[in-house]
Amino acid sequence: REPQHGYSGGLEGVATMEPTAMALAVGDEQAGLEAHRVIISPAQLAEIWAADEQAALGVLSRLASQPEYESDLRQSVYVNFLHSALLYCRHSELSVAKTFAAFDVSVEVLARACAEQLGKEEAFGLWSQLLMARIKALP
């Protein structure tokens, strides 16, 4: 399937959903999971999905408090990770609720893997555990 910019469906009812908060740890492993806090609302998700890649990266860099993402390699990798996680959800045609669940799990696993220096098997185990818990909690 060809990559597309913008999203044409699945946003019904987004105004009634609560924003999701995600703890992010990047750069300072000692800072733990609360190093950065990102709040992404359904409206911001719709804006990201509707934007071209550069605009979407700009929104995500602002939300993730990564203002130097264009010149700082670490910030660039992180913002691109966030964007790729959201693109995966969009291209998989996940609902907004499922997108928030999958995105939240991906971000938490990255944060904890960095903070706790998890190996591949540990990170995958954590991802599996968190994803199953989030799926079970969906309405």
Side-chain angles (χ1 to χ4, degrees):
R1 173 174 9 182
E2 284 291 313
Q4 299 173 357
H5 295 292
Y7 181 74
S8 61
L11 295 177
E12 300 82 24
V14 293
T16 62
M17 294 183 64
E18 292 295 316
T20 184
M22 290 159 277
L24 312 173
V26 174
D28 184 1
E29 290 79 13
Q30 302 303 316
L33 298 178
E34 296 299 321
H36 297 280
R37 197 104 178 119
V38 173
I39 305 296
I40 184 169
S41 70
Q44 289 164 326
L45 178 63
E47 178 184 357
I48 291 164
W49 279 353
D52 64 28
E53 184 175 354
Q54 279 308 111
L57 291 171
V59 171
L60 285 168
S61 71
R62 181 175 41 86
L63 293 173
S65 300
Q66 304 294 310
E68 304 297 324
Y69 82 98
E70 291 182 284
S71 59
D72 181 277
L73 181 59
R74 186 177 295 221
Q75 289 186 24
S76 176
V77 168
Y78 182 62
V79 171
N80 278 286
F81 166 80
L82 298 176
H83 187 242
S84 294
L86 288 176
L87 284 178
Y88 171 80
C89 295
R90 185 184 78 194
H91 290 300
S92 297
E93 299 180 1
L94 299 182
S95 69
V96 173
K98 289 178 183 176
T99 294
F100 281 149
F103 186 68
D104 190 30
V105 167
S106 296
V107 171
E108 184 173 347
V109 169
L110 176 65
R112 290 185 53 187
C114 291
E116 300 170 23
Q117 297 184 1
L118 299 179
K120 184 176 17 175
E121 292 81 17
E122 294 169 309
F124 182 72
L126 176 62
W127 177 81
S128 298
Q129 175 189 3
L130 292 173
L131 188 60
M132 291 310 295
R134 288 299 301 265
I135 289 170
K136 288 179 182 180
L138 287 173

